[in-house]
Amino acid sequence: MKTKIKICGLTNPKEAEYLNQHHVDFAGFVLFFEKSKRNNTIAQAEAIAAHLSPEIKRVAVVVSPSADEIRQIQDSTARFDYIQIHGLLSAELLTQITLPILKAFNVTDMEHYEQYHECSQIAGYVFDAAEPGSGKTFDWNLVKKLPRDEKLLLLAGGLSVDNIQDAIQALHPDGVDVSSSVEFSDHPGKDPQKLQQFVTNVRSVDTTVSIPTL
C-alpha cells in the first residue's frame, strides 16, 4: 500500500514546484486564518496553485469556516479538490458544501469522529495535534483505538523525517500530512532538502504489511 503524502501550508509558487518534483499527492493551502504564518488569500492560493501539477490534489484548509468562505473556495480558480475543516462544521453549512470534505480532529475533539462515518460528503479524516501547525506530536494510540472505515485516514501533527517511518509502521494511515518540520529553521518557507528527505523516508517504508484489525 502506497502511503499518500500531503504537504500543507504552501505560501509561494516555488514550493509548488518542489511538490511537483517529488510527485506528492496533496497540497494544502491555509485560508481565512490570519493567526497562521502560512495563511493565504484566495488570490494568493490561486497564484500558487497555477504552478501545481494537475495530478496533485488541492486542499483548502480552514477553521470553522463561514458560508461565504466556503463559497469563495468553491468558486475559486484554484480548482480545489477538497476542503479540510478544523473546528466547527454545522449541519446547515454541510448542506452548502459541494466539495469532498476532509474533517480534521485533534486530541480535544476525537470523540466526535464516529458521527461522520455515515456522511457521504466526508471523504476522509485528518488527525492532528491539539494545536494544528504547531509541529507537536500527540499520542498515536488515540488513533489506534478508533474504528477504521473506507474513508481516507491522514495522520498529521509533529511528523518529521525522524518519526515518520515509526508513525507509518504503527498506524498504517492512508496518508501523512506535514508542514512545519519541512520548513527552514531560520526563515519562512519550505526547505527543499527537508522536503525531499521526508518524501524519501515515507516511500522507503515497507507498507505491504497488512493492516491489523482493530
Side-chain angles (χ1 to χ4, degrees):
M1 181 182 73
K2 175 179 176 284
T3 303
K4 296 181 183 298
I5 300 173
K6 176 171 174 277
I7 307 297
C8 201
L10 271 65
T11 57
N12 64 68
K14 186 180 292 186
E15 294 175 346
E17 298 293 345
Y18 299 156
L19 271 59
N20 296 341
Q21 291 167 18
H22 297 296
H23 306 285
V24 305
D25 302 279
F26 302 93
F29 298 83
V30 177
L31 298 167
F32 309 116
F33 194 61
E34 294 183 0
K35 291 193 294 184
S36 172
K37 63 183 179 182
R38 307 176 189 95
N39 188 55
N40 290 287
T41 64
I42 288 288
Q44 288 169 333
E46 289 171 344
I48 299 168
H51 291 263
L52 277 175
S53 166
E55 287 78 30
I56 298 176
K57 302 297 184 183
R58 298 153 169 80
V59 183
V61 180
V62 291
V63 178
S64 302
S66 67
D68 180 64
E69 289 167 349
I70 292 297
R71 179 190 58 75
Q72 290 184 61
I73 289 168
Q74 295 183 157
D75 291 346
S76 171
T77 60
R79 302 192 309 279
F80 289 109
D81 297 285
Y82 296 89
I83 295 178
Q84 178 176 320
I85 298 179
H86 294 254
L88 302 177
L89 174 57
S90 68
E92 180 181 0
L93 187 64
L94 194 60
T95 65
Q96 301 178 49
I97 300 175
T98 58
L99 289 174
I101 299 166
L102 298 175
K103 183 66 182 78
F105 300 91
N106 59 38
V107 294
T108 66
D109 63 1
M110 282 191 188
E111 69 272 13
H112 301 300
Y113 162 73
E114 293 193 36
Q115 75 185 65
Y116 294 101
H117 285 312
E118 304 303 320
C119 180
S120 61
Q121 288 171 268
I122 304 296
Y125 318 102
V126 180
F127 291 101
D128 208 338
E131 185 182 346
S134 66
K136 297 177 181 177
T137 57
F138 66 97
D139 183 0
W140 296 334
N141 286 318
L142 294 171
V143 177
K144 272 188 175 182
K145 295 174 182 176
L146 297 173
R148 297 284 287 266
D149 59 19
E150 76 287 353
K151 302 180 191 295
L152 282 172
L153 189 155
L154 303 181
L155 181 66
L159 299 179
S160 69
V161 296
D162 298 319
N163 65 15
I164 188 58
Q165 293 173 320
D166 289 340
I168 293 171
Q169 290 168 341
L171 297 178
H172 301 281
D174 297 304
V176 293
D177 186 342
V178 69
S179 183
S180 59
S181 77
V182 294
E183 294 177 337
F184 291 106
S185 56
D186 56 354
H187 62 276
K190 299 293 187 273
D191 181 330
Q193 293 183 324
K194 290 180 181 178
L195 198 155
Q196 179 181 9
Q197 189 60 60
F198 183 86
V199 171
T200 297
N201 286 11
V202 171
R203 291 179 176 159
S204 67
V205 178
D206 180 5
T207 56
T208 61
V209 179
S210 60
I211 298 175
T213 302
L214 300 179

